[in-house]
Structure formats: structure tokens, C-alpha cells
Amino acid sequence: MGQTREHPGTSLRKPDRPRIGVGCRVGKLTVTAPTDQRKNHYTIWLCRCDCGGEILLDTRCLQRGTVTDCGCVSKVKPGRRDISGRRFGRLTALRPTDEIRYGTVVWRCVCDCGEEVDVPLHQLTAGYRKSCGCLSHPALKDFIGRRFGRLTVTAYAGKQSGMHRWKCRCGCGKETIVGQTLLQTGKTKSCGCLQSEIYRDNLKLIGGTSVTLLEAGKSRLISSNTSGYTGVYQNRRNGRWVAQITFRGKTYYLGSYDEKQEAIKARKCGEELHDDFLAWYYENHPKSGMTGGGRRIAVKEGAGPHGR
């Protein structure tokens, strides 16, 4: 053991790997006998640990010294690399776990900040992980008690998908979890109630019907369906044109026709529901009786909010 051999093409001499045989010592292990088993053509040896335990290891594993006990100290199973006590950035490897992730054993590590984290072996050795996350960007901020729009931060909710997340209470009373970046940039200012209010106010939603869209004449705009007109489509089974209209969450069937123009005409007649609804709306909301351009919508009188 300890002999050296010359490297081809150089004057350097490389130490020979120790010859494994009965009586050899590797860490706390003593080789006691060879077995009939082989691993990649290497002999598998029966080894006895100083603690009294026994373990089977192949010649290459013993020569490299990757396993130095039966598992009583390192808790590393045969064939697995022992990195106990080694540092990787701010992480120090403590012990292997029983979990296998991405084809490699997961190690429990402690960070210099005191946090413990489970990291796959290859991420440690390749330098992909150097901390529990405290070195990541953006850095973790102290947001507890701070207010962002309607949200007040109450507690840290951990990290997910590379983003720190915070538990927040909204001004409406609901609780939600929001990413730190979304809070900082102002992209999230409520649990969702603010957006709902803006949507409702802008569209002037009454029972699911938008006054704003009706005022803008959206129902008469060109559509991307088969007819090019909203509420008119062609039945694929019989080729006839069908007219329908949706009002206050309910769809009304207006008939089917041989000609597309007949269906469009029926749809236009059905839009009287919208006109009747607008008449009722303006009667109860006199300040809203004008369109965005200042032109009053021409509507029929005498209809309630539910149409005829």
C-alpha cells in the first residue's frame, strides 16, 4: 500500500490504489473475507465494523474510501457518498435522508442562518444550492405590519416557486397570500375585491347585464362567429340559421331560419329587451342617461328591469 506509479508522458508519480485483502483497514472497517458476489466485475468483501456491525462492500468502494463504517456513524448506506460535515456555501451537510430526488439521495443541511433544509446531493456538489434561500434574490424583506393598497401584511408564508410569499388581510376582511414582488411593484393591492369593484363600476353591471356594453352597442358589433353577427349562428346539423339573445343571465331562443338575414332580423327585434332595460335604467338612474359621447340612447318606454 502507498506505492506510486509513473503517469504516462510525465515525470509525476501517481499513488497506487491500496490492494484490498483480508485484514485491510478502511476507516472503522476491517475486511474479513471475500464473497462469491461481484459488482461490475469487482469482488464484494465482507467487512466488520469496530462497533460489531457487518457490511458488504466491493473492492472499488473500499479503495476509494467512500464508505468508512457500517452506517453507525455516517448513517450512509453502502454505495452512497458520505459528505457529513462538509460545507457547500453557507450549508453544512448533517445527514442523509431516506428520500431520493432527481435520482440522488437528499441530505439534511443546516444553513449559517440557523435554518435546516433538505437538498439533493447533486445540487450541493454542483454548486446549485449554497444556502437555505437566504442568499436568493430578491432578499427577504420585513413586511409584517406594512400596508400595500388594501392589504396589510400579517405573517410570512414561506417561499414558493422562487418567490417569498406573505399572508395578508384585506380591507374587506378576507385573508390571502401574495408574493413579495407583487406587493412591492403594486400589481396586487387587494384580495381581488378591488378588481371586482372596478369591473362592476366600469361595466355598470345590473343583475349580470352590462349597461356600458349596451350603451356602446356591443350587441350589434361584428362578431367572430359563423354569421358575423352576435347572437346568430348556423346549426351544423340542418344548416339553418338560429337567432338567440342573452339577457340577465338567461338565453332566449328567437327561432331558426333558412336565410341568415331573417335570423339577423329576428335578433334585432329581440334586442328590444336591451332597449327596454336601458329605458328602465335611465328612469331610475337619471344621471346615467347619456352615452360616452353625450348622445342619449333611443329606447322604448314602459318596460321594467326584466324586459317584457
Side-chain angles (χ1 to χ4, degrees):
M1 297 179 66
Q3 295 181 355
T4 59
R5 53 189 174 87
E6 228 172 277
H7 227 326
T10 70
S11 58
L12 298 177
R13 297 180 63 80
K14 186 176 179 179
D16 288 330
R17 289 181 177 176
R19 297 180 65 85
I20 301 301
V22 176
C24 289
R25 291 276 298 180
V26 179
K28 299 183 67 176
L29 299 174
T30 301
V31 180
T32 57
T35 68
D36 296 332
Q37 304 177 48
R38 295 290 186 272
K39 180 179 180 181
N40 297 328
H41 305 292
Y42 288 95
T43 301
I44 294 181
W45 300 81
L46 176 64
C47 306
R48 181 175 294 276
C49 184
D50 291 347
C51 71
E54 292 185 338
I55 188 174
L56 294 173
L57 296 173
D58 64 85
T59 301
R60 183 170 54 177
C61 183
L62 291 168
Q63 289 176 334
R64 292 178 175 178
T66 54
V67 179
T68 58
D69 60 72
C70 66
C72 58
V73 176
S74 64
K75 306 300 181 184
V76 179
K77 295 181 180 179
R80 293 185 180 178
R81 185 176 177 182
D82 185 8
I83 59 170
S84 302
R86 285 188 55 184
R87 285 184 61 86
F88 302 88
R90 301 188 67 180
L91 295 175
T92 301
L94 298 178
R95 59 187 178 278
T97 67
D98 294 330
E99 181 183 358
I100 300 295
R101 196 185 305 170
Y102 310 118
T104 183
V105 66
V106 175
W107 279 76
R108 173 61 58 88
C109 305
V110 61
C111 185
D112 288 348
C113 70
E115 292 290 329
E116 291 191 0
V117 62
D118 293 339
V119 185
L121 174 63
H122 77 278
Q123 291 187 359
L124 293 170
T125 55
Y128 295 147
R129 288 291 299 274
K130 296 181 180 179
S131 72
C132 65
C134 55
L135 286 179
S136 61
H137 301 284
L140 178 64
K141 304 294 182 68
D142 184 9
F143 278 175
I144 296 180
R146 289 189 57 181
R147 187 177 179 87
F148 300 87
R150 294 185 176 183
L151 297 174
T152 301
V153 180
T154 58
Y156 181 58
K159 191 174 183 181
Q160 183 178 355
S161 301
M163 183 185 295
H164 297 296
R165 298 182 181 272
W166 295 90
K167 186 176 181 180
C168 306
R169 179 175 293 277
C170 185
C172 69
K174 293 183 179 180
E175 290 189 343
T176 184
I177 294 178
V178 185
Q180 177 173 286
T181 303
L182 299 178
L183 291 172
Q184 290 182 129
T185 58
K187 291 184 177 180
T188 301
K189 298 180 180 179
S190 72
C191 65
C193 59
L194 180 60
Q195 184 178 6
S196 298
E197 289 176 10
I198 294 175
Y199 180 80
R200 183 187 66 236
D201 294 342
N202 287 344
L203 293 181
K204 301 178 186 176
L205 291 175
I206 305 294
T209 295
S210 171
V211 174
T212 300
L213 294 182
L214 295 183
E215 287 179 336
K218 293 294 185 181
S219 62
R220 296 174 176 83
L221 292 181
I222 297 300
S223 173
S224 60
N225 62 18
T226 56
S227 69
Y229 196 93
T230 300
V232 177
Y233 68 93
Q234 190 174 31
N235 189 320
R236 293 184 179 181
R237 290 185 176 181
N238 55 28
R240 291 172 63 82
W241 293 93
V242 178
Q244 63 182 27
I245 190 169
T246 300
F247 178 66
R248 298 182 70 84
K250 183 177 180 180
T251 299
Y252 297 86
Y253 176 73
L254 303 177
S256 65
Y257 306 87
D258 293 329
E259 298 295 331
K260 180 171 69 173
Q261 291 303 321
E262 294 180 0
I264 293 177
K265 184 178 179 180
R267 162 70 190 202
K268 289 181 177 180
C269 291
E271 288 171 2
E272 293 180 359
L273 281 172
H274 296 164
D275 294 337
D276 295 340
F277 173 75
L278 285 174
W280 169 86
Y281 179 79
Y282 294 140
E283 182 180 347
N284 291 274
H285 303 79
K287 294 183 180 181
S288 302
M290 304 298 291
T291 63
R295 177 176 60 85
R296 188 176 182 89
I297 298 292
V299 297
K300 293 190 175 183
E301 298 180 356
H306 300 286
R308 293 178 178 176

